[in-house]
Structures are given as C-alpha cells and as structure tokens.
Amino acid sequence: MVQLTNIFGALVGNPLLAQAAAVSEGGIPWLTLTTFGPLLGILALLLIPREQVQVLRNVALLTSLGVFAVSIGILVLFDPSLPMAAGEAFTFQLTEGPYEWIPSLGVSYALGVDGFSYWLVMLTTFLMPLAIWSTYSSVHENVKEYMICLLFLEVGMIGALVATDVFLFYIFWEVMLIPMYFIIGVWGGADRVKAAATFFIYTMLGSILMLLAIMYVYFQAGVQTGTFSFLYTDILAADFSATEQFWLFAAFFLAFAIKVPLFPFHTWLPLAHVQAPTAGSVILAAVMLKMGTYGILRYAFPLFPDALKTFAPYIAVLSVIGIIYGAIVALVQDDVKKLVAYSSVSHLGFCVLGLVAMTPQGISGAMYVMLAHGIATGGLFLCVGVLYERRHSRQIADFGGVASVMPMFATFFMVITFASAGLPGLNGFVGEFLSIMGTSQSHFLWFETPFGFIKPENAGSGYGVYELSAMTDVAIGSARQAGPEITAFIFTIFATSGVILGAAYLLWMFKRVMFGSVVHDEIRTMPRLSAREIGVLVPIVLMAIFMGVFPKYFLSRMDPSIHQFLTYMDQNVTEANTVVVEPLDPTWVPQGSMIDLAKERRNER
C-alpha cells in the first residue's frame, strides 16, 4: 500500500503524496488515499475514448466505490475513546504531516479527522457512487467530462474536510467551486448559464473575504508567535482584539453563511438546484452545503470566540427567519425541485441554530442535521430525477396518481419524504429534536440589553399592567425580569413552527404527486423502477431508517469532540457561564423573577 502511494504521488507530480505514506496506522495514508483516490479515476478516464460512454460511466462508478471502500478504513480506525488534547479546540486522528509544501510561506500538507469531520467524509464517499450511478440514464452528452467533474468535485470536498492547514483548506474550498460551476453551466437546464454565474459570483465573493481574513490572521499569528505558519494549531494560538475579532469573524462567517446558505444569503440556491442535473443537485445539497456549517464550526467559532458571543443572537434570528421563510416559500411552490431546494434553507436553519446555541445537545443536533439532511434531501432529489426522466416536467400539477403506476417508487419516496419531514424513527427527527432541545437550554443567545416586563410609571396597581420592552435604565424593582435564558425559549418556539410547516409542505407535495386520480395519460405509461434505480434508492432508504433507529452509533462517536470543543469555547469566551459544556439536568427550566412570579400565581390558584 505504501508503495502504491509513492507511485500515486509520482503520477500526479506531487512528492508530498508520496511522503504522506510515512504515517502511523501501519504506514497506510488513509486520508491521502481517500482524498486523492478520485484522481486515479480521472487519469483512467482521460485515457478512454469519449465514444465508449458505458466504459466511462463504469470507471467513474468503480472509482467512487473504491474511494468509499478506502474511507471505511477511516471509520474503523477512528477511536473516539482516545484522550482529547488539553487546551485545544479539536484533537485530530489518523494525522498525516505536517510536511512542508511551500516553506517560504509556511504552507504545509497536513491532514487529520476528528468526530466532526470524519462523518462528513463518510457521507461524501457514501453518496458519490449513488450520484454517479443515477446519471446513467440522464446524461448522454459529454459524459467523459461530466464524470471527470464529479470525481474532481469529490477531491475538493474530502480535502476541505480533512485539511488541517488553513491554506490547504482554502485551496480545496476553491477546488469545489470549479467542477460544480461546470456541472451546472454545461449539463444544467435551460437557464443554466444564469444559475452557474450566480452560484460562482456568490461563492467567490465569500471566498475573497475569507482569503483576506486568512491572510490577516496568518500575519498576526506570525508576529505574535514568531512562526509564520498556516497550520491550524498555530493559527488558533493567536490573540485578537475585540475589534479584530469582530471584522474577522464577519468575513469568515459571511463566506460560510453564503455556502450554507443562511438567510438572506440564500438567493443563489433555488436557481442552482433547479437548473443543475440530478447528480449535481444531490451533491450540492447533501455535501457542499455542509461545507458552510462545517466551516462555521471549525474556523469561525473557535478562532473568534468573543465575536461569536456578540453575533450569536443575531445569527439565531437569521436562522429562525430562514427556518420559517424557507418552509413558507416551499409551501407555495409548484415546481417540486424548487420546493426541495427551499426545504434546504429551512432545514439548515436548524443546523446553524443548534451550532450557535453552544450546548452539547445543540452541537450534536446540528451535526446530525448535517448527516440526516444529506441523506434525506439527497434522496428527494434522486426521486425528483426519477420523475423528471419519465415525465420531463417538475411541475406538481403535471403529476397525480403516480403511486398506482409505480407502487415501489411510491414506497421509497414516502420513506424519504417522512425522513425529511422529521418523522420519529427516521433520521430527520433526531437532529431537529436535539437542535431544538439544545437551543431551549442555551445561555448563549440573549442580547446585551435584556428584555423584561416593564411597569409603566403611570400605570395603576395590579397584575397585568406590565409591558415587554428593553430594560435600559430601569430600576429592578419596577420590572419582572424573565431571566436571560427566556430569549433562547423564544427562539425555540419560533423554530419549532418550522417543523410543523415542514411536514405541511412535504406531505402536501407527496399527496399531489403520488395520490389522487390519474389525470394525464403520460402517467399511465410511466415505466416502473429499473434495477439500477432500485439500487440507487435502497441504500438511501436503509440509511434513513438506520440513522433514525440507531442514532447512538453516530452520536457516541461525536460526543468526545463536542465536549472538547465546548470546553475550549467556555475557556475562551470572556463572558463566563455562557457556554454549556455538560448536558443540563432534564428538569432544568429558565430562571428569573417573571418565572418565579408565574409559579406563585399558579400556586395561589
């Protein structure tokens, strides 16, 4: 295996890949092989004539399956029981490097995974073969280039997840942009050029801001420590003033918020999803959007903890708006693919809200939403692709009664829809429930100026004359203060409405597409699922069920990393007792004189 890696490094002209063979775990560079394995498939595709379409498809599929098989090694070897490094935000395993790449700039080849990143790597390698297999009957032009773009995209996504050098992360971050731009712009729908240009402009704007922030952090860290290095641990050691943290956090967070996308930076997403081919939509929704939430957790939060505390309630407001807005807009869509696109805006609002809550349940829920959304929404786009190939339409009104013609497909579609809607027993429920519960217990989300129930000066005596307003220069005796934690409860209440709306738009869509009488003759002649399509959808359905029934298998491997991250944030956020490191007692409720007064009144009655 080591010899293979040396040969592979020579083939791609990068001696660092050959050097990466000298690692632990028996000398097998699991992360390098997983990251750059798709390049072997690209090299093979370049040697195959473009006329041999089926051979091109099979080589790409076998390559992605091989990468998935190698990534199983990461799953097996990752040990969540290993002790966490004291004082660090993250402890990486299966590390490779650092090896000097550009010594004059302090750029290194350094890879590693922890409880956050390795599940996202597994999600990527699990879905890529299914995405490629789904293209067999949908992409017939420029198949060679299409498969190259998909495999090149996989390199960028995995690389961004395992890079522990910030500059290397940025390179992989940009590598993702190029193939997706071509996937949308060349193989997309009628409005593909506009969609690709919008996608490129939005993401490139965020990338430029992030690059400027990275360079500033690099130089400041170098001045403070005397070592100019892009290694994550060296960058994390730098200290920044409150003003520096404010602007640097804003730059990093904006770049990641665009990628999520968080409201109001979401406007590029529906057009990109609608115009992208099925495989492009699957990978965009299931993996690429998670790069934004992963970047927020990995970089924006730990690098600038005090700025996060300042921004947290405003981020929570945007998250809640995104949850409700995305669900309401999805509810009125007549295009089933656009409906699924807006559902991503809503679902990932739960993810960001859970992250910013700074509680164990919130972070666990956010991570689980990332994984569950990747499976469920990826499955929804695959189902939409099945319908589009038969009907050549995505308009909900052009369907109806499909279940009577394609009963097996209706079953698969139903399970995936329920998973996305958050039905207990399926994967969507676990993440959203934990995110909501974690948010309700957050000490991190109240504003600098607390709100309370203020008694106007001229009001008469009696209960019920208090009004909600900002508590500025108000004597404590004239206010019934709710306690700062009540802000988190308010966010929770509004976010929970998104769950109800999510069930509404998904079930209403499913009803109109699958049930009712067959109105259109084209529906009666729709062919049933092929063996290939069954093979694509069955793993999605099984994974949705497995994640819903056995969430502990996933959560237990994240818990040590979550605990270490929250401990680091608790130590580095100036305002004390705002980060919840240990799960609160299940009977915990927000405290404050308003709560106490309500209890007194209830007891009096």
Side-chain angles (χ1 to χ4, degrees), residues 15 33 133 135 207 221 247 301 308 359 401 409 418 461 474 545 589 598:
L33 290 173
W133 205 12
T135 67
S207 296
W247 291 109
F301 284 7
L308 168 62
T359 61
F409 172 73
F418 285 166
S461 62
V474 176
I545 297 172
V589 293

Side-chain angles (χ1 to χ4, degrees), residues 447-463:
F447 294 89
E448 242 180 77
T449 302
F451 282 76
F453 286 87
I454 312 300
K455 181 178 180 181
E457 292 182 4
N458 299 326
S461 62
Y463 183 66

Side-chain angles (χ1 to χ4, degrees), residues 316 320 353 357 436-446 482-497 584-591 594-595:
V320 171
L353 185 63
I436 291 171
M437 185 170 68
T439 301
S440 71
Q441 298 185 353
S442 176
H443 295 187
F444 207 74
L445 298 178
W446 58 83
E485 299 92 343
I486 200 67
T487 311
F489 258 61
I490 294 172
F491 287 131
T492 303
I493 292 168
F494 281 103
T496 304
S497 67
L584 296 173
D585 187 278
T587 61
W588 178 90
V589 293
Q591 303 298 315
M594 187 194 76
I595 302 296

Side-chain angles (χ1 to χ4, degrees), residues 52-397:
Q52 299 182 18
V53 173
Q54 195 60 36
V55 176
L56 293 167
R57 291 169 176 159
N58 292 338
V59 168
L61 177 60
L62 290 174
T63 300
S64 62
L65 287 172
V67 172
F68 175 64
V70 173
S71 69
I72 296 296
I74 301 174
L75 180 65
V76 172
L77 293 173
F78 184 86
D79 185 0
S81 66
L82 291 179
M84 300 289 108
E88 297 290 341
F90 308 103
T91 297
F92 296 103
Q93 298 185 33
L94 302 174
T95 54
E96 299 175 25
Y99 305 115
E100 290 186 347
W101 183 21
I102 310 176
S104 59
L105 296 178
V107 180
S108 302
Y109 179 82
L111 307 179
V113 290
D114 64 352
F116 297 116
S117 58
Y118 94 105
W119 277 125
L120 294 175
V121 171
M122 295 306 303
L123 176 68
T124 305
T125 60
F126 173 77
L127 287 174
M128 185 57 75
L130 302 179
I132 292 175
W133 205 12
S134 73
T135 67
Y136 275 38
S137 59
S138 60
V139 176
H140 304 283
E141 296 182 1
N142 301 314
V143 173
K144 182 176 185 175
E145 291 79 5
Y146 188 67
M147 296 301 170
I148 289 174
C149 283
L150 286 174
L151 292 177
F152 194 50
L153 179 61
E154 187 174 21
V155 172
M157 293 186 298
I158 297 175
L161 292 170
V162 301
T164 57
D165 179 279
V166 180
F167 195 83
L168 185 63
F169 162 80
Y170 183 80
I171 290 175
F172 284 122
W173 179 271
E174 292 302 297
V175 164
M176 290 187 292
L177 176 62
I178 300 168
M180 183 54 74
Y181 171 79
F182 285 113
I183 288 172
I184 298 173
V186 176
W187 293 276
D191 210 9
R192 59 185 179 273
V193 175
K194 179 182 177 182
T198 305
F199 165 77
F200 187 87
I201 291 170
Y202 267 81
T203 51
M204 182 55 70
L205 174 62
S207 296
I208 291 172
L209 290 174
M210 183 168 63
L211 178 61
L212 294 174
I214 287 173
M215 296 309 299
Y216 184 90
V217 170
Y218 163 75
F219 284 113
Q220 283 295 102
V223 169
Q224 293 178 22
T225 64
T227 302
F228 287 88
S229 167
F230 282 100
L231 285 174
Y232 184 81
T233 51
D234 294 335
I235 294 292
L236 199 61
D239 292 321
F240 301 98
S241 67
T243 302
E244 288 175 320
Q245 283 202 37
F246 182 92
W247 291 109
L248 291 170
F249 179 89
F252 270 92
F253 184 80
L254 182 60
F256 297 134
I258 290 172
K259 185 75 81 175
V260 171
L262 184 67
F263 178 91
F265 312 110
H266 67 283
T267 52
W268 64 270
L269 181 66
L271 182 61
H273 267 318
V274 170
Q275 297 302 318
T278 297
S281 294
V282 170
I283 297 303
L284 179 61
V287 183
M288 285 192 69
L289 302 188
K290 311 309 180 299
M291 298 298 166
T293 49
Y294 170 79
I296 290 171
L297 178 65
R298 178 74 80 201
Y299 295 97
F301 284 7
L303 285 174
F304 317 109
D306 284 330
L308 168 62
K309 183 65 185 73
T310 301
F311 279 96
Y314 304 99
I315 296 173
V317 168
L318 294 180
S319 300
V320 171
I321 292 174
I323 290 169
I324 299 173
Y325 167 83
I328 292 175
V329 176
L331 195 61
V332 300
Q333 294 304 313
D334 54 8
D335 183 313
V336 65
K337 200 173 187 184
K338 189 174 286 188
L339 182 149
V340 178
Y342 276 107
S343 76
S344 292
V345 177
S346 183
H347 286 305
L348 290 173
F350 285 103
C351 184
V352 178
L353 185 63
L355 289 177
V356 81
M358 286 292 118
T359 61
Q361 296 94 335
I363 303 291
S364 297
M367 283 300 303
Y368 217 79
V369 168
M370 292 187 211
L371 301 177
H373 177 267
I375 298 298
T377 304
L380 285 176
F381 278 119
L382 289 170
C383 289
V384 173
V386 170
L387 293 172
Y388 183 78
E389 288 180 26
R390 288 158 170 77
R391 189 71 172 86
H392 300 292
S393 172
R394 293 186 297 267
Q395 296 298 308
I396 296 176

